[in-house]
Amino acid sequence: MKFQRIISKDSLYALRFIIAPFGILFLGKILFELLAFKFPELNSNLIEHFSENKEFSSAIIFQESKARLLWLTSVLLYFFVSAVFGVFIWNILRQSLTKATLLLFISIALFFSISEITYFFLVDSSKSPLATIFLFTFDSLHASGQYSENELNTVYTTLSLINLIAIFVVPFGILTGCCIMHKKQRSSKTTLNDLLRQSQLIKELLAGGSAIMVIGIAHMQLWLNWPLSFLADDNARLQIGAITLAVSQYWGVIYTLTMAAVYLPATFSLTQQASSIIQSGQDEGTNTNPELWLKEHKMSLSLHDQIPQLVAVIAPMLFGSFGSMLGNIMPF
């Protein structure tokens, strides 16, 4: 009986919304780990190059300074956006119907996050494409011989914090969407105002998730491109830069699909509930035309009414595709 109280019908209903986003996220990580098998070799080639060439011209030193400061600015933005998004997530999670529900949702998010951390501890980082994303620049910076141990430790600590946030933020963001949908009531007490509030929260979650994913893609691209500033050969820099751009594009697509898998099913469900309530006449004085009411309250599923949300969904994918222009288009 105690287990049934924790896993209530409303909880099971809400948890259905994690299947698609988690499925896409895990599929993306598994495919990258299995098929990006030459990516770690690129890191080895850079390390070998830097080990053999430790004398750099003034132009390259200036180029490195710009790359480092751009990365530093992306770090600052990432921490700021993460803090704001974290406060939003916590405010939603703590509004769960019971403490047991809150504990259940947090436990699920922690399970997925800790499982990923455990995997990174167990995997051979020299052969793992996923681990290579994290170590790509750091190992190259170490091999360049241009930084003291204290400077490298500072970079490593900063990077570790960002990676830790990235591992936790996506599962907790997905479970926050479930928490919003958990407010669905199966009784006749459900009102259109309740559904409007849920719809607004889902849109806010989408906007916050899009912001952190976009700055995450920007950080990834600037991080991967930092060691390229040491390359004097323009052709080599362009070729390796094309690979790092492809990595950013890949994750931009994965994050876009993940957010779409969170937003679209939830929005469709809320719209269907609103239509049913309007048609049944449960809310007195409400316009009997469901489509008109949905348009007036920005809950319609039409493409025109969903343009702001569509932009938020595809923003990580678009930003990843234009990653090679970051040094020129970023306002810093």
Side-chain angles (χ1 to χ4, degrees):
M1 293 296 293
K2 185 176 180 180
F3 178 78
Q4 290 179 343
R5 287 198 299 270
I6 295 176
I7 311 296
S8 64
K9 290 183 178 180
D10 283 340
S11 295
L12 289 175
Y13 168 82
L15 289 174
R16 292 188 300 176
F17 292 92
I18 75 171
I19 297 175
F22 270 125
I24 291 173
L25 188 63
F26 284 136
L27 178 62
K29 291 185 177 183
I30 290 172
L31 289 178
F32 189 84
E33 188 76 336
L34 294 177
L35 297 178
F37 38 75
K38 295 294 183 180
F39 190 49
E41 294 181 11
L42 180 64
N43 195 28
S44 300
N45 292 335
L46 275 176
I47 293 173
E48 182 179 352
H49 172 80
F50 292 142
S51 298
E52 297 173 353
N53 301 274
K54 294 185 180 294
E55 296 295 330
F56 301 105
S57 66
S58 298
I60 289 181
I61 296 299
F62 294 149
Q63 196 167 267
E64 183 277 335
S65 297
K66 176 185 176 182
R68 175 161 36 89
L69 290 173
L70 286 172
W71 171 74
L72 175 60
T73 309
S74 73
V75 168
L76 180 63
L77 287 174
Y78 192 85
F79 282 147
F80 175 78
V81 174
S82 297
V84 174
F85 192 55
V87 171
F88 172 79
I89 286 177
W90 176 246
N91 285 335
I92 297 299
L93 288 177
R94 69 184 180 85
Q95 293 174 16
S96 298
L97 299 180
T98 64
K99 290 184 178 179
T101 301
L102 176 62
L103 179 62
L104 172 65
F105 284 5
I106 290 179
S107 297
I108 292 173
L110 285 175
F111 171 77
F112 286 113
S113 298
I114 293 174
S115 296
E116 186 169 357
I117 293 173
T118 303
Y119 175 78
F120 283 121
F121 271 109
L122 297 177
V123 74
D124 184 351
S125 59
S126 65
K127 298 180 180 179
S128 168
L130 283 173
T132 299
I133 295 177
F134 301 146
L135 298 175
F136 181 87
T137 295
F138 183 79
D139 288 346
S140 297
L141 297 179
H142 188 275
S144 71
Q146 302 300 304
Y147 308 94
S148 67
E149 285 299 320
N150 184 58
E151 290 170 340
L152 289 172
N153 288 336
T154 301
V155 171
Y156 186 84
T157 301
T158 303
L159 180 65
S160 297
L161 287 174
I162 290 177
N163 291 337
L164 194 63
I165 292 172
I167 288 174
F168 279 96
V169 72
V170 178
F172 273 90
I174 293 173
L175 265 297
T176 299
C178 293
C179 183
I180 293 172
M181 296 307 295
H182 185 276
K183 296 180 180 181
K184 173 182 181 292
Q185 301 292 329
R186 298 180 183 276
S187 67
S188 59
K189 295 181 180 180
T190 303
T191 67
L192 292 175
N193 285 334
D194 296 330
L195 298 177
L196 278 173
R197 177 58 178 162
Q198 287 177 268
S199 177
Q200 182 61 36
L201 288 175
I202 285 292
K203 291 176 181 177
E204 292 175 2
L205 176 66
L206 176 65
S210 179
I212 199 168
M213 294 305 175
V214 165
I215 192 58
I217 291 295
H219 170 267
M220 179 186 294
Q221 184 67 17
L222 293 170
W223 169 252
L224 293 176
N225 283 348
W226 183 358
L228 305 189
S229 61
F230 286 113
L231 295 176
D233 187 338
D234 290 339
N235 185 50
R237 186 165 60 250
L238 288 174
Q239 289 181 349
I240 299 177
I243 297 175
T244 61
L245 172 60
V247 172
S248 297
Q249 288 175 325
Y250 179 85
W251 289 106
V253 170
I254 293 299
Y255 291 147
T256 284
L257 293 177
T258 300
M259 290 196 302
V262 172
Y263 176 74
L264 294 179
T267 299
F268 180 80
S269 175
L270 295 173
T271 299
Q272 291 297 105
Q273 292 176 60
S275 296
S276 298
I277 290 176
I278 294 171
Q279 291 174 344
S280 65
Q282 293 181 27
D283 273 30
E284 296 182 3
T286 301
N287 195 308
T288 56
N289 186 332
E291 188 58 35
L292 180 59
W293 187 92
L294 292 172
K295 280 185 173 293
E296 290 176 349
H297 294 83
K298 303 185 184 301
M299 287 185 64
S300 173
L301 293 176
S302 68
L303 181 61
H304 179 269
D305 293 324
Q306 291 293 325
I307 286 179
Q309 287 69 50
L310 179 62
V311 171
V313 166
I314 67 175
M317 180 176 66
L318 293 178
F319 208 78
S321 297
F322 293 110
S324 61
M325 301 169 60
L326 282 177
N328 296 321
I329 65 175
M330 295 291 269
F332 44 77

